[in-house]
Each structure stands twice: as C-alpha cells, then as structure tokens.
Amino acid sequence: MAKITIMGAGSTVFARNVLGDCMCSPVLADSEIALYDIDAKRLRESEAIIGAINKGLGGKAKIKAYHGTGNRKDALKAADFVVNTIQVGLYDPCTIIDFEIPKKYGLRQTIADTLGIGGIMRALRTIPVMKGFAEDMEENCPDAWLLNYTNPMSMLTGYMQRYTGVKTVGLCHSVQACSEHLLKALGMEDKLDGRKELIAGINHMGWLLEIQDKNGNDLYPEIKKRAAAKNSAEKHGDMVRYDYIDKLGYYCTESSEHNAEYNPFYIKSKYPQLIERFNIPLDEYPRRCINQIAGWADEYKSLTSKDTPEHKRSGEYASYIMEAMVTGVPYKIGGNVLNHGGLIENLPRDACVEVPCMVDGRGVNPCYAGKLPVQLAAMNMTHINVHLIAIEAAATLKREHIYHAAMLDPHTAAELSIDDIRDMVDELIDAHGDWLPKYI
C-alpha cells in the first residue's frame, strides 16, 4: 500500500484529478492519502470531495487531512509520493500585484505564471516554501518522489533538483495534449491513431519536433499548409502557435495565450494592432482567477450534493507514474528534469528541460533527445537565461539577480528601459512584502 501526500490539497481540480485517478488504479486504490493545506476551509471542502469520490469507487483509500505548518511533517511522514499543487500568495494579493504594477510601467501580460516579471515573482515567493517541503521530506520521507505541478515549472523544479536532495520530476499536461489538439483543430483527426511523435525542449516551450502517421509518413507538410490557411482565414485561439509553425517551422506544446508573452514579438506597445491580429487575451489569468473563485461555490455544491461523484481516469501523468514505480512496468511521460548528460545537446547542463522519460521501478529515467534545431534552442535559451538567474536570486537572496532576471526576460526587455525594469522590480518587492524573503 502506497502513501500519497498532496501539498496544496485545496487546489481541488488537481486534487480531484490526481487522487481520483489513483483511486481508479487497481494498484493504488487502497493507498493512504494525506491531504495537506494551510487553508482550513478549502482543505475541508477537498476532503469532502475526495471522500465522496473514494466512496463511489469502492471506498478502498484511507484519507486523512492535515492543516497548517505544524502538521506538515505528519502529512509527509513515510510518504512514497508527494504531489505539489500549491499557489503561494493566491490571486489576491499576489497575482493582482504581478499584473497591476507592471501595467503602470506599460508592461502588459496574459498569464504571468511561467516567464516574464510575473513568472519571476511567482518563483521567488514559491521557492522558499518548497525549500521547506524539501527539508521536511528529507527528514520524514527521504525516498519519496516529488511530482511537481506548480508553475513556474522550470524554475521551481530546477531549484529542487539542483539545491535539494529530493527526487523531483516536473509534470505538465501540455505535452500529452499537444499533437492531439493540433490535429483535431486542423481537421486531421484521421491521423490520430497510431501517430508517432517526438517532443523536447523546455516546459511550456517544448517543440513538436517530429510527427508521423501510423505508416511513418511525415505530417508536418500538411500541418504547415493547413495552419497557414487557418491563420489567414479566421480569428481563433491558437494564432501565435500557428505563427510559430510558419516562422520557426515547428509547433509548441503550450497555448498561444501563454506563448504570446514569452518573446518580444507579439505584445508590443509600439504595435498595438498585433494584439487584435493574433487574438491575444491580455489579462487572461486574472479573469480566470475571478471566474474560478466565483464558480467554486457552485462547483463544490454540485459535487458534494451527489452521494458518489463520478470520476473517470484522466490523462494526468501522476497516477501512471506511481503505478509504474510500484509495479516496475514501464510508462513513458514527458518530464521536466535536469539536462545532465546533455539530454538536449545544445542547451545548458543546469537547465531544466522537458524530454521523453521512461518510468519504472528505478524511478524517472530521462531519454536522450539530441540537438534541437538552432532557432528552437535559441528560443528556449531566452527562457533558460531567466530561469537560471531567478534560481540564483532565490538561492543567494541577492536583489541584483532579480534585476538581472527581469532585464533578460525577452518581453520585459523589449518594452522597458533598464532603469524602469529596476524601478518596477523594487516596487514589486515592496508590494509583496512578507510573501518574499528579505533580499539584500
């Protein structure tokens, strides 16, 4: 029987999917499940939902909730798997700060959780919390695997892998959904079955390097033709990634609203017409947060009003990873791991990269992916520069490295002067207050 601890169990969508998936697994259904959160109300709600799902699936799991930092070690004690889904600082105040202060300087964002000034600040307030998790894990479950779902994925996972002794892999659902989403959107559903693909790069900017049908025929020529035609004919929600196909030659794993802010090309105060041309939803993440908060009460009422809420096993990797480690039967994932050994030859060894990995009883075993096309490696490097410096800032608590990370962010640097970047960083640090450690 495995013990599975979920950190940030009040993040109910993740808790419901990951733990519901585990309960659907014959291997994991009787697991001991520890729900941990510092928000007592959300924790109670999550416990009620997970308990109802467990009842509907036979009631085999043993579920216990742990509230507050004083109970964290107990939640982690003897865990085999720890799933991280926390959000430090919540929508209010921290996400609001991450969007509103940059706006004063003329810097607009869409999601702000992965790169950009929003991604940097989110990393800096989350890494200290995860460092505390690591210390408790090393003491109470030193052999456990940490499955990280929290963004900014590359910065958080990279920090854990470089600066702690915790076995960590970063997971994102954009990898397994990438080619299916693309083919369906382009009317190529008949090519889904038996397709062969290779995806490698970094989180939220992994590249669909190869895609073939079941007979080994290259699908990219038809994809490029259809994507170009669709971008010319109509407004739709994936115009930035289709433009990547046209300008860079390859499709990217994460959505267009994310990728719009990952580069200096699309959100430009000098060319405001690009926002409409590429259908870019500025301030998208705050809108999502507001809608999720408003809709949560209705969702909770709906779920708990059913004696046995239905759950169908999702495509999230977590339960399949646990299953593979417990049984030793291999399972392939796209995982975020350190680039040790040159998994991607033309990216730095300290970078956190997203590559195919085989999971079995030995853990997560990354696979060699070779060299990326030079333009794709260059795009990834504009992110990795920020990742490595932001991690350095968190490790050293030197304010100058926060400046450096913001200065090298491609979107920020394209819009603001160095002096404005430094002033904006200072204002953000002051506004975040105790959500951040003290930087010197």
Side-chain angles (χ1 to χ4, degrees):
M1 180 179 71
K3 180 177 178 181
I4 303 164
T5 300
I6 185 160
M7 311 299 284
S11 174
T12 313
V13 172
F14 273 117
R16 184 173 73 234
N17 284 345
V18 169
L19 297 178
D21 290 352
C22 291
M23 294 169 191
C24 289
S25 163
V27 176
L28 303 168
D30 65 348
S31 295
E32 177 184 348
I33 293 174
L35 306 175
Y36 173 81
D37 208 293
I38 60 172
D39 186 320
K41 179 176 180 292
R42 290 298 293 263
L43 181 60
R44 286 194 304 270
E45 293 168 347
S46 183
E47 183 180 18
I49 291 169
I50 300 305
I53 292 172
N54 184 41
K55 180 181 176 183
L57 293 170
K60 297 178 182 178
K62 289 81 177 172
I63 302 167
K64 185 173 180 180
Y66 298 82
H67 170 246
T69 53
N71 290 313
R72 194 167 75 193
K73 291 183 178 181
D74 289 335
L76 290 167
K77 191 170 184 62
D80 298 290
F81 304 101
V82 179
V83 182
N84 183 50
T85 67
I86 62 171
Q87 181 181 355
V88 177
L90 304 175
Y91 165 68
D92 187 359
C94 288
T95 296
I96 294 173
I97 292 169
D98 286 345
F99 274 82
E100 293 305 314
I101 288 177
K103 276 187 197 176
K104 291 169 53 179
Y105 292 82
L107 187 64
R108 301 299 302 274
Q109 300 172 95
T110 52
I111 306 295
D113 73 346
T114 297
L115 202 69
I117 191 61
I120 293 167
M121 299 310 297
R122 183 178 281 235
L124 296 178
R125 62 180 181 263
T126 307
I127 285 174
V129 177
M130 292 184 65
K131 179 182 178 184
F133 291 175
E135 291 166 354
D136 286 351
M137 287 181 67
E138 288 169 354
E139 178 184 345
N140 294 280
C141 53
D143 296 324
W145 271 90
L146 177 67
L147 312 183
N148 180 50
Y149 274 103
T150 297
N151 285 325
M153 177 62 65
S154 298
M155 297 187 221
L156 302 184
T157 305
Y159 177 88
M160 295 294 282
Q161 291 162 339
R162 289 174 56 197
Y163 286 96
T164 80
V166 174
K167 296 181 289 189
T168 305
V169 63
L171 305 175
C172 179
H173 29 240
S174 65
V175 176
Q176 60 264 51
C178 175
S179 64
E180 180 179 359
H181 174 84
L182 176 63
L183 294 175
K184 285 182 175 179
L186 293 178
M188 298 174 66
E189 296 92 336
D190 60 317
K191 305 300 183 183
L192 286 169
D193 290 345
R195 70 190 184 281
K196 306 165 188 175
E197 63 187 41
L198 173 62
I199 294 175
I202 59 173
N203 179 244
H204 283 190
M205 196 179 268
W207 302 101
L208 183 60
L209 298 171
E210 299 174 8
I211 180 165
Q212 301 171 342
D213 67 16
K214 61 185 178 183
N215 298 315
N217 300 306
D218 185 4
L219 295 179
Y220 252 126
E222 185 64 19
I223 287 171
K224 291 178 179 180
K225 183 174 73 174
R226 294 193 186 202
K230 188 169 183 177
N231 256 18
S232 298
E234 60 181 278
K235 289 279 194 303
H236 59 90
D238 209 11
M239 299 189 76
V240 168
R241 285 197 291 177
Y242 285 16
D243 202 45
Y244 277 10
I245 296 174
D246 182 50
K247 303 301 194 302
L248 297 170
Y250 296 86
Y251 191 61
C252 178
T253 49
E254 188 48 76
S255 64
S256 282
E257 62 265 24
H258 275 272
N259 271 275
E261 67 181 1
Y262 291 169
N263 54 66
F265 308 135
Y266 301 104
I267 304 175
K268 301 179 76 69
S269 55
K270 188 176 179 181
Y271 300 101
Q273 65 271 24
L274 293 174
I275 303 300
E276 181 179 355
R277 177 183 167 190
F278 287 99
N279 202 26
I280 295 170
L282 295 174
D283 298 322
E284 172 65 15
Y285 188 65
R287 282 193 296 274
R288 289 183 188 178
C289 290
I290 291 167
N291 291 336
Q292 286 169 356
I293 293 167
W296 168 241
D298 290 339
E299 184 181 3
Y300 173 67
K301 183 178 179 181
S302 172
L303 288 168
T304 53
S305 66
K306 304 173 184 176
D307 289 336
T308 55
E310 295 179 2
H311 182 83
K312 183 178 180 182
R313 197 169 184 180
S314 74
E316 295 288 358
Y317 282 140
S319 68
Y320 297 97
I321 289 172
M322 298 178 202
E323 209 171 58
M325 290 186 184
V326 170
T327 65
V329 177
Y331 182 77
K332 180 184 174 184
I333 67 167
N336 289 271
V337 296
L338 283 186
N339 194 34
H340 285 177
L343 301 168
I344 298 179
E345 288 186 19
N346 47 349
L347 294 182
R349 298 304 189 261
D350 280 346
C352 182
V353 294
E354 197 167 66
V355 294
C357 302
M358 294 302 295
V359 185
D360 59 20
R362 293 179 57 250
V364 177
N365 309 288
C367 300
Y368 172 77
K371 284 187 176 182
L372 296 178
V374 64
Q375 73 277 17
L376 306 187
M379 286 286 287
N380 283 170
M381 276 305 306
T382 65
H383 290 222
I384 292 168
N385 291 333
V386 179
H387 299 165
L388 297 182
I389 300 174
I391 290 171
E392 190 73 9
T396 63
L397 296 181
K398 290 184 178 179
R399 184 182 291 237
E400 64 181 327
H401 289 318
I402 308 178
Y403 297 147
H404 298 154
M407 286 160 52
L408 287 169
D409 173 67
H411 174 45
T412 303
E415 291 286 273
L416 305 184
S417 70
I418 290 179
D419 289 339
D420 280 347
I421 290 170
R422 290 172 64 93
D423 289 345
M424 178 181 66
V425 167
D426 287 339
E427 191 170 345
L428 282 163
I429 292 171
D430 289 344
H432 280 299
D434 291 340
W435 291 106
L436 292 176
K438 301 303 178 187
Y439 280 85
I440 57 175

